[in-house]
């Protein structure tokens, strides 16, 4: 039996005929009769009987119709409870992220949601291979995941919202010979010792692409997933590494150089099951993650503008120094 069949039985008891029930529910009398037959199959005693041309409830039918009213009341109360849960703005929202995304997104998310009346975030770090991120949506409302730009899309079982398309740069000590170049190529870095992630993690595919573009295998000396640890290892002279441009903290002893000749970019996506965003609190957190992503990109744009301005100032200074030197040379020549 189901809710619709119980309601039909209840309406038959109150209205007294199949035709009246059909009119009240805006369906045909044959549809009402069919549902009553389906309900009768689930009950071992007769629920209806004929009284002349009318179909009426038996004692068992009347008892079940009375219970149907209680069922409708309980279901209405359950729906109301669900509606309140879905609409509640200050509900808990669970968010998981891999390490560098957590470092970049968790602090602004916590600050944005610190006031009263908003969602209560429950944060966790999950460092898993790329193919395991979709499974995490069973346990979390929102999952920050990453994949390389040319990798296959996420499976259709989850919805994905892209937050960032982040370049992967080559990190090296500030005093490294390649640090003087504005960018590097696979051939530039092919003979260097490399610090990279474990197999199965997205960045590894880009390392393999560098080797393919350079035409030789790279020398992988250390395997470290956590970029903060990678940065310290690079600074200590342990090798060079691929590092995200925006979501890792700047290290005073390192420089990042863009990599040409290889598609070195990753997507940072939010994965979730579609039904999760029916909740107001989840949609609020998702909006804050998008806002944090915009801030991260704007911060990078400001850094580029400042770097270009500094470069122009340095060029102007060089021009002035050269002009002054030329002037002094001319004066010395005139004096002689």
């Amino acid at each position: 039996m189901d809710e619709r069949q119980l309601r039909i039985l209840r309406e038959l008891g109150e209205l007294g005929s199949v035709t009246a029930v059909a009119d009240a529910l805006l369906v045909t009398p044959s549809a009402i009769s069919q549902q009553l037959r389906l309900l009768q199959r689930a009950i071992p005693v007769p629920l209806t009987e004929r009284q002349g041309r009318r179909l009426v409830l038996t004692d068992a039918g009347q008892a079940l119709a009375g219970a149907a009213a209680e069922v409708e009341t309980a279901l209405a109360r359950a729906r109301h409870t669900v509606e309140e849960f879905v609409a509640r703005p200050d509900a808990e929202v669970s968010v998981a992220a891999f390490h560098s995304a957590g470092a970049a997104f968790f602090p602004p998310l916590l600050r944005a949601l610190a006031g009263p009346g908003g969602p209560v975030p429950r944060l966790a770090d999950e460092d898993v291979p790329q193919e395991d991120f979709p499974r995490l949506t069973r346990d979390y409302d929102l999952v920050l995941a990453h994949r390389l730009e040319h990798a296959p899309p996420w499976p259709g079982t989850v919805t994905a919202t892209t937050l960032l398309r982040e370049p992967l740069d080559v990190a090296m000590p500030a005093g490294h010979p390649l640090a003087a170049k504005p960018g590097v190529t696979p051939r530039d870095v092919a003979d260097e010792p490399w610090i990279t992630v474990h197999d199965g993690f997205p960045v590894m595919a880009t390392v393999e692409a560098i080797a393919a573009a350079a035409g030789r295998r790279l020398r992988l000396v250390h395997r470290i997933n956590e970029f903060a640890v990678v940065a310290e290892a690079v600074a200590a002279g342990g090798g060079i590494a691929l590092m995200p441009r925006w979501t890792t903290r700047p290290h005073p002893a390192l420089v990042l150089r863009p990599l040409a000749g290889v598609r070195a970019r990753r997507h940072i996506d939010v994965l979730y099951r579609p039904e999760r965003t029916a909740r107001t609190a989840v949609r609020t957190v998702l909006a804050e993650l998008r806002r944090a992503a915009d801030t991260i990109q704007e911060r990078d744009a400001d850094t580029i503008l400042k770097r270009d301005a500094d470069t122009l100032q340095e060029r102007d200074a060089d021009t002035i120094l050269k002009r002054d030197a030329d002037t002094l040379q001319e004066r010395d020549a005139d004096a002689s």
Side-chain angles (χ1 to χ4, degrees):
M1 69 181 75
D2 63 26
E3 177 190 0
R4 178 177 52 177
Q5 294 165 356
L6 291 174
R7 184 182 179 192
I8 287 173
L9 188 72
R10 179 184 178 191
E11 296 293 346
L12 180 61
E14 294 180 2
L15 299 177
S17 74
V18 170
T19 301
V21 175
D23 290 341
L25 299 183
L26 303 177
V27 296
T28 64
S30 62
I32 296 298
S33 298
Q34 182 185 22
Q35 291 302 314
L36 287 172
R37 286 194 297 271
L38 292 173
L39 177 61
Q40 183 63 73
R41 291 177 187 174
I43 306 298
V45 295
L47 298 175
T48 61
E49 62 184 2
R50 287 285 176 184
Q51 285 186 357
R53 299 178 62 184
R54 296 174 59 243
L55 187 69
V56 298
L57 299 184
T58 63
D59 290 344
Q62 291 174 4
L64 186 56
E70 296 178 7
V71 170
E72 282 202 63
T73 300
L75 287 172
R77 188 161 49 246
R79 290 191 190 96
H80 179 67
T81 300
V82 171
E83 288 168 359
E84 284 187 334
F85 171 74
V86 167
R88 184 178 170 188
D90 58 348
E92 290 188 0
V93 178
S94 56
V95 184
F98 60 96
H99 292 152
S100 57
F105 283 92
F106 283 175
L109 185 62
L110 289 170
R111 287 191 290 267
L113 301 177
V120 178
R122 294 291 181 251
L123 309 179
D125 64 328
E126 292 281 359
D127 189 23
V128 298
Q130 180 176 323
E131 64 270 16
D132 289 342
F133 280 111
R135 297 192 192 101
L136 295 177
T137 59
R138 289 198 300 262
D139 303 318
Y140 300 96
D141 293 311
L142 301 171
V143 175
L144 273 68
H146 58 152
R147 66 178 182 87
L148 294 180
E149 193 168 52
H150 57 276
W154 301 109
T157 54
V158 298
T159 300
T161 297
T162 298
L163 296 178
L164 292 174
R165 293 178 174 85
E166 182 179 28
L168 299 172
D169 294 332
V170 178
M172 61 192 72
H176 194 284
L178 292 175
K181 303 184 67 171
V184 294
T185 68
R187 289 188 177 276
D188 291 333
V189 297
D191 295 326
E192 299 290 329
W194 276 85
I195 304 168
T196 189
V197 298
H198 295 275
D199 291 335
F201 289 80
V203 174
M204 192 61 205
T206 303
V207 172
E208 293 168 350
I210 293 171
R216 54 188 179 275
R217 296 180 63 179
L218 303 185
R219 183 157 54 98
L220 309 182
V221 293
H222 305 295
R223 295 294 191 110
I224 304 171
N225 276 10
E226 171 53 58
F227 285 120
V229 180
V230 172
E232 296 298 335
V234 173
I240 63 174
L242 281 179
M243 293 187 66
R245 182 179 299 176
W246 300 331
T247 55
T248 53
R249 292 182 179 180
H251 192 291
L254 301 187
V255 295
L256 299 181
R257 292 295 178 259
L259 178 65
V262 170
R263 294 173 64 183
R265 188 181 296 266
R266 69 174 180 177
H267 285 204
I268 296 181
D269 300 325
V270 186
L271 308 185
Y272 49 90
R273 297 191 172 189
E275 65 272 17
R276 302 278 190 168
T277 52
R279 295 174 54 205
T280 298
V282 173
R283 293 197 303 273
T284 299
V285 173
L286 184 56
E288 290 298 340
L289 289 172
R290 289 197 192 102
R291 191 171 292 113
D294 291 341
T295 300
I296 289 170
Q297 288 183 303
E298 290 168 3
R299 185 175 62 208
D300 183 65
D302 291 342
T303 300
I304 292 173
L305 289 174
K306 183 179 184 302
R307 184 189 64 200
D308 290 346
D310 292 343
T311 300
L312 288 173
Q313 288 179 349
E314 290 172 1
R315 288 176 179 173
D316 290 345
D318 289 343
T319 300
I320 292 171
L321 289 173
K322 184 176 185 301
R323 183 187 62 199
D324 290 347
D326 291 343
T327 300
L328 289 174
Q329 287 179 351
E330 289 174 0
R331 288 178 182 174
D332 291 343
D334 292 342
S336 61

